[in-house]
Amino acid sequence: MGKLYVVCLFAFSLLLLAGNGIAQNKLQFSVPFKLIDNRPFIEVQINNKTLHFMLDCGASNVIDLNTANSLHLKLSNPSYQTGAGAKRVRSYTTNIDTARIGRSQMINENFGVIDLSEIKNKLHPPYLDGAIGYNFMKDYAVQFDYPKGVINFYATYSGAYPIPFTLYYSQTPLLKVKIDGTEATVIMDTGDRSSLTIFNHYADKTGIKQRYTLSDTSITGYGIGGPIYARTFTLKQLEVDRNKITAIPSRIPMLKTGAFAQPDIDGSIGGGVLKGFKFTINYKTQKLYLE
């Protein structure tokens, strides 16, 4: 009788924990997405018009220049900005009265404005009106459920095996991983169409260029600032906490400037890897979950 009581008590405790987890992970709202070129696109309503934006944890809120002009938005603060490519590009800011995403909305929100036509003309996505980034996502725990094609927004979220992260440039998740067993500091970027980008300085330091047969340099994508010239290979193993991912298509950008030439981080994990998971970013607790 004593053993049965202990078993029942343990089972009841597990039910309580499960119940607490469900309550804590209370869903606020969900939106469907389309995965295009390894990047999640959602519908955004601006000025009663349905547009299509990337949900990009590696960006701030940005609207395409041509889209902004078609909406008759006022542009201000002309400047220049860098991105994944090597060139600096013209940028502006604008104010959007109301942008609706699912059951949520942004009121009087500032957006960056950049001409995204080169990316559209070279990669031929069906649409690219801009990116929704940290400015919106920071108030939620955002779950990219790639297998189900839905993005869930929680007030907060917790699960098994949390992975701590910090914010790179105050917006992009930055964490420690192991690349072929060697520690590296990388960003997680749902707006990165590749699987794994390893920066040139890290590839030199760790001997990756000597251990692998690399392709010739070629264009592996386009970002803000132009083409991304890189050498490609297949990495043996990437470890993200308890997750061991093998045979990862990888690239080493051959750029001297731009986001992929930064000396203070070692690489970027993109949608090619993340699409195999239910990937959750809890900005409030700075914990990631790969399920």
Side-chain angles (χ1 to χ4, degrees), residues 182-203:
T182 301
E183 190 173 88
T185 302
V186 302
I187 59 171
M188 290 281 206
D189 187 357
T190 57
D192 182 349
R193 66 194 287 265
S194 67
S195 293
L196 179 65
T197 301
I198 297 175
F199 291 4
N200 198 19
H201 73 87
Y202 182 86

Side-chain angles (χ1 to χ4, degrees), residues 2-30:
K3 290 183 179 179
L4 179 61
Y5 173 78
V6 171
V7 170
C8 290
L9 183 61
F10 178 70
F12 181 67
S13 298
L14 289 179
L15 287 173
L16 284 177
L17 288 172
N20 289 338
I22 291 171
Q24 187 178 14
N25 294 344
K26 184 178 179 181
L27 184 65
Q28 301 294 297
F29 66 98
S30 300

Side-chain angles (χ1 to χ4, degrees), residues 240-283:
V240 185
D241 195 60
R242 294 170 176 260
N243 302 280
K244 294 184 179 181
I245 307 154
T246 58
I248 309 108
S250 303
R251 63 181 176 180
I252 304 172
M254 299 288 110
L255 302 173
K256 301 294 185 183
T257 58
F260 286 163
Q262 296 297 313
D264 52 344
I265 59 174
D266 302 318
S268 171
I269 297 174
V273 166
L274 297 175
K275 69 181 181 181
F277 295 90
K278 184 167 65 174
F279 169 52
T280 308
I281 311 170
N282 191 336
Y283 286 95

Side-chain angles (χ1 to χ4, degrees), residues 157-219:
Y157 186 89
S158 65
Y161 311 121
I163 304 168
F165 71 90
T166 57
L167 290 174
Y168 186 63
Y169 276 93
S170 302
Q171 67 180 29
T172 306
L174 179 73
L175 65 154
K176 298 289 187 182
V177 301
K178 288 185 178 179
I179 295 174
D180 278 352
T182 301
E183 190 173 88
T185 302
V186 302
I187 59 171
M188 290 281 206
D189 187 357
T190 57
D192 182 349
R193 66 194 287 265
S194 67
S195 293
L196 179 65
T197 301
I198 297 175
F199 291 4
N200 198 19
H201 73 87
Y202 182 86
D204 282 335
K205 179 178 67 176
T206 58
I208 286 175
K209 291 180 180 178
Q210 287 70 47
R211 297 200 310 273
Y212 289 92
T213 300
L214 308 181
S215 73
D216 293 334
T217 300
S218 63
I219 296 175

Side-chain angles (χ1 to χ4, degrees), residues 59-274:
S60 54
N61 292 344
V62 171
I63 188 168
D64 172 54
L65 176 61
N66 292 325
T67 303
N69 288 333
S70 72
L71 295 172
H72 307 292
L73 298 175
K74 182 181 179 180
L75 307 184
S76 58
N77 302 317
S79 184
Y80 287 91
Q81 183 172 328
T82 59
K87 297 179 295 184
R88 298 170 72 227
V89 298
R90 194 73 166 170
S91 66
Y92 307 87
T93 61
T94 192
N95 183 268
I96 293 178
D97 291 338
T98 304
R100 290 185 172 86
I101 299 171
R103 296 206 313 260
S104 184
Q105 61 184 13
M106 292 178 281
I107 305 294
N108 293 325
E109 185 74 19
N110 287 325
F111 274 63
V113 182
I114 297 176
D115 185 357
L116 301 176
S117 60
E118 183 177 24
I119 299 174
K120 290 190 281 188
N121 293 337
K122 298 297 185 179
L123 298 180
H124 307 293
Y127 35 65
L128 176 56
D129 293 310
I132 298 296
Y134 174 79
N135 317 59
F136 178 72
M137 292 191 286
K138 63 181 174 60
D139 295 324
Y140 299 96
V142 185
Q143 183 176 82
F144 297 78
D145 192 339
Y146 286 94
K148 292 184 178 180
V150 66
I151 297 171
N152 300 312
F153 293 84
Y154 294 89
T156 188
Y157 186 89
S158 65
Y161 311 121
I163 304 168
F165 71 90
T166 57
L167 290 174
Y168 186 63
Y169 276 93
S170 302
Q171 67 180 29
T172 306
L174 179 73
L175 65 154
K176 298 289 187 182
V177 301
K178 288 185 178 179
I179 295 174
D180 278 352
T182 301
E183 190 173 88
T185 302
V186 302
I187 59 171
M188 290 281 206
D189 187 357
T190 57
D192 182 349
R193 66 194 287 265
S194 67
S195 293
L196 179 65
T197 301
I198 297 175
F199 291 4
N200 198 19
H201 73 87
Y202 182 86
D204 282 335
K205 179 178 67 176
T206 58
I208 286 175
K209 291 180 180 178
Q210 287 70 47
R211 297 200 310 273
Y212 289 92
T213 300
L214 308 181
S215 73
D216 293 334
T217 300
S218 63
I219 296 175
T220 60
Y222 287 82
I224 294 171
I228 301 167
Y229 292 92
R231 302 180 69 182
T232 61
F233 68 104
T234 300
L235 184 78
K236 292 178 182 177
Q237 183 169 279
L238 170 68
E239 294 177 59
V240 185
D241 195 60
R242 294 170 176 260
N243 302 280
K244 294 184 179 181
I245 307 154
T246 58
I248 309 108
S250 303
R251 63 181 176 180
I252 304 172
M254 299 288 110
L255 302 173
K256 301 294 185 183
T257 58
F260 286 163
Q262 296 297 313
D264 52 344
I265 59 174
D266 302 318
S268 171
I269 297 174
V273 166
L274 297 175

